[in-house]
Amino acid sequence: MPSSWSHEVWRLVTILAICLVLGLLQDRVLVYLLLGTSAGLGWYLYNLYRLHKWLAHPRSRDVPLEPGVWGDLYYLVLRMQAHNQARKRKLRDLLAQFRASAEALPDAAVALSNEWEIRWFNEAAVNLLNLRPGQDIGSPILNLFRSPDLSTYLEAGQFGRDLEINAPGNLELKLSVRVIPYGEHQWLLLAQDITERYRLERVRKDFVANVSHELRTPLTVLSGFIENLRHDDTAPECVQRWERPLALMDQQAERMRHIVEDLLLLAQLEGAESRPSQTRVDVAALAQTVVTDAGNCRPEGHAALHLEIGTDRQLLGEPGQLHSAFSNLVVNAVNYTPETGDITVKWYECGEGACFEVEDTGEGIAAEHLSRLTERFYRVDTGRSRKRGGTGLGLAIVKHVLQHHDAELEIVSQPGSGSRFICRFPGHRCIQPKQGQAANPQSG
Ligand code: ADP
């Protein structure tokens, strides 16, 4: 027991002992004991009242100087108060430091509530997002930053990818926006100025598109003349002598034409709206066409082609783009699978959405190449790809088309065990066919 408490107990016992002795001397024990306890009770009530009054406005200079238990209580409360104040000061300093570092950021940072109301923003947000210090706190960000793309982005809640949009009120300024969750139902919106990067990227895209476009006409002229020379009946000797070089020239011109066509398609995909059209695409019918065309492109022989349709769901998207992507996957399977192998094209439900898959029993791909396959001109074996008429752009086209359709490409492969290319389409892109349009799930 602390000494102040034993002191207090002894004081009470002494007072009661004195009352008892006085009571015995005067033959009024009960009266004296009652007087003693009443005096003690009064003393405690008085001290409680003082403590209560002081606690209502605790200030160290007003603390009653009291020995014993009451003095200890005042001291303990004062110590707790000093401790809390030190903690508050530390937190304030930390907050000030955090604000200073956030202010120093070159990117705009805006703290948002769950209802997308602005709670705080830094200096860069004033310049990049046109926010006004003081006035815009508490306003919904979409009232100040009016952009349908930002609104869709916030509503979708899929913040794994960045959003590229124009800055509010300044079409010259391009921003990359990212939203990060923090705390409980709070969000941090970061906006980075990517105007220069965007300009350089556009210059590069325009350059590739223009070069490809300019090459188209000379190539057509060259191919035309080569064709004429190969079939020139007026000089059969000459044709015979030059047959091999002319055939090679024809083959290379054809290859270049394919590369130019693929580059133009890629440029078109890169320049296209981020949200493609919402046409209903009958994937079962499309898959059938793609399979038939892929078989026809190798009349000399190819692996057995099978089609398995497990769902009649349709896709909302751009039919031309989807045709290119699916066709590239099936033609690749035909090119990289021996004639004795099997290729299965599938359309089936997976998760909330649906998957288009091309599975082959071909040569397969080693793990170190998988992550790079969708890069332009990346080939596992350049010589073999060229021999089969490949441009090295097929999977880059597939990746772009899938990105436009909010879909993902998964590649599962092992050398010697074949490959699976799976296009995963999300639920909001997969719809039921209109009544009377239902395609029968089939396999063949
Ligand atoms: P390419 O025109 O060369 O086929 P792609 O971009 O379509 O270009 O494919 C890139 C590379 O991926 C190919 O060169 C090939 O090495 C590999 N590849 C693509 N599909 C398959 C497949 N089904 N089986 C094995 N390898 C494949």
Side-chain angles (χ1 to χ4, degrees):
M1 197 190 310
S3 67
S4 57
W5 272 102
S6 47
H7 195 260
E8 195 66 25
V9 172
W10 274 116
R11 186 155 58 178
L12 194 67
V13 170
T14 314
I15 289 171
L16 288 178
I18 292 171
C19 288
L20 187 69
V21 171
L22 285 176
L24 283 172
L25 286 176
Q26 309 229 349
D27 207 15
R28 287 188 176 166
V29 174
L30 267 182
V31 175
Y32 274 88
L33 277 178
L34 201 67
L35 271 174
T37 40
S38 302
L41 201 66
W43 167 249
Y44 286 118
L45 272 177
Y46 169 67
N47 274 305
L48 262 179
Y49 165 75
R50 284 206 313 171
L51 178 64
H52 184 211
K53 204 170 129 200
W54 181 77
L55 278 178
H57 307 283
R59 277 187 304 209
S60 55
R61 63 187 152 87
D62 298 341
V63 64
L65 286 170
E66 204 64 54
V69 172
W70 294 103
D72 273 9
L73 281 178
Y74 286 114
Y75 167 75
L76 288 174
V77 173
L78 272 177
R79 204 172 64 174
M80 239 158 69
Q81 198 189 23
H83 182 69
N84 278 345
Q85 268 168 359
R87 242 181 51 180
K88 249 196 220 163
R89 239 190 333 267
K90 218 162 140 187
L91 276 176
R92 236 191 342 253
D93 289 352
L94 212 69
L95 198 67
Q97 274 175 28
F98 166 75
R99 286 205 165 173
S101 54
E103 291 297 350
L105 279 177
D107 300 341
V110 186
L112 298 168
S113 71
N114 213 21
E115 279 76 42
W116 310 121
E117 287 161 354
I118 300 173
R119 290 195 160 156
W120 167 88
F121 53 85
N122 66 355
E123 185 70 29
V126 177
N127 303 325
L128 293 180
L129 305 180
N130 250 345
L131 297 183
R132 294 159 302 176
Q135 291 177 57
D136 290 338
I137 299 289
S139 310
I141 188 148
L142 290 170
N143 284 4
L144 307 164
F145 193 162
R146 290 177 187 273
S147 152
D149 283 341
L150 180 66
S151 163
T152 318
Y153 180 69
L154 294 181
E155 269 166 31
Q158 285 171 351
F159 302 128
R161 66 179 179 95
D162 294 356
L163 172 72
E164 291 185 4
I165 38 174
N166 290 323
N170 185 356
L171 294 180
E172 302 282 296
L173 203 63
K174 200 85 188 161
L175 298 177
S176 168
V177 173
R178 156 162 290 216
V179 174
I180 304 162
Y182 76 97
E184 245 180 60
H185 307 303
Q186 297 187 79
W187 306 89
L188 188 67
L189 181 144
L190 296 173
Q192 188 187 15
D193 180 359
I194 52 159
T195 314
E196 188 53 19
R197 197 177 84 199
Y198 188 75
R199 194 186 63 78
L200 289 174
E201 186 72 357
R202 212 174 49 201
V203 168
R204 183 191 65 78
K205 283 180 197 164
D206 287 353
F207 174 75
V208 174
N210 289 337
V211 169
S212 311
H213 195 74
E214 291 299 325
L215 281 175
R216 228 181 187 177
T217 316
L219 263 178
T220 315
V221 174
L222 266 177
S223 294
F225 279 123
I226 294 168
E227 190 68 18
N228 284 347
L229 283 173
R230 285 183 78 186
H231 301 102
D232 187 0
D233 296 337
T234 57
E237 264 178 42
C238 204
V239 171
Q240 208 180 2
R241 215 169 100 212
W242 289 97
E243 172 54 24
R244 199 174 137 63
L246 283 175
L248 275 174
M249 281 164 76
D250 196 24
Q251 200 185 28
Q252 292 306 316
E254 182 67 7
R255 220 174 73 75
M256 270 179 82
R257 207 174 54 74
H258 278 146
I259 293 177
V260 166
E261 292 304 328
D262 277 0
L263 278 173
L264 278 172
L265 180 58
L266 265 175
Q268 193 193 331
L269 282 169
E270 283 178 333
E273 283 265 314
S274 54
R275 278 171 288 163
S277 75
Q278 301 272 313
T279 311
R280 279 172 173 269
V281 180
D282 181 352
V283 181
L286 179 60
Q288 181 66 66
T289 313
V290 165
V291 166
T292 312
D293 291 350
N296 290 342
C297 78
R298 285 221 172 257
E300 68 275 18
H302 56 78
L305 280 155
H306 311 278
L307 181 62
E308 286 178 14
I309 303 294
T311 176
D312 57 3
R313 279 174 86 177
Q314 300 182 333
L315 267 181
L316 283 179
E318 187 74 51
Q321 289 184 13
L322 290 168
H323 180 276
S324 294
F326 295 167
S327 174
N328 270 312
L329 292 177
V330 182
V331 170
N332 273 352
V334 168
N335 282 340
Y336 300 104
T337 308
E339 285 177 29
T340 49
D342 284 292
I343 297 165
T344 312
V345 177
K346 304 175 194 170
W347 174 237
Y348 55 93
E349 310 241 349
C350 58
E352 307 242 306
C355 289
F356 179 89
E357 179 176 333
V358 181
E359 183 178 14
D360 65 55
T361 57
E363 57 199 55
I365 308 158
E368 69 263 27
H369 299 293
L370 292 181
S371 61
R372 300 198 57 192
L373 285 184
T374 53
E375 288 173 21
R376 284 159 202 231
F377 297 114
Y378 187 87
R379 289 122 154 172
V380 175
D381 181 336
T382 311
R384 194 180 296 183
S385 156
R386 282 199 185 130
K387 220 164 77 194
R388 294 176 197 201
T391 60
L393 294 168
L395 291 181
I397 292 174
V398 173
K399 187 182 93 175
H400 268 83
V401 170
L402 293 190
Q403 266 174 4
H404 274 225
H405 290 79
D406 314 314
E408 280 172 7
L409 177 66
E410 187 187 342
I411 308 173
V412 185
S413 186
Q414 263 186 2
S417 321
S419 314
R420 287 172 67 205
F421 289 78
I422 308 154
C423 311
R424 296 186 181 280
F425 292 90
H428 68 269
R429 288 235 163 239
C430 305
I431 49 162
Q432 295 298 339
K434 285 183 186 156
Q435 276 199 339
Q437 243 191 19
N440 292 328
Q442 53 174 283
S443 67

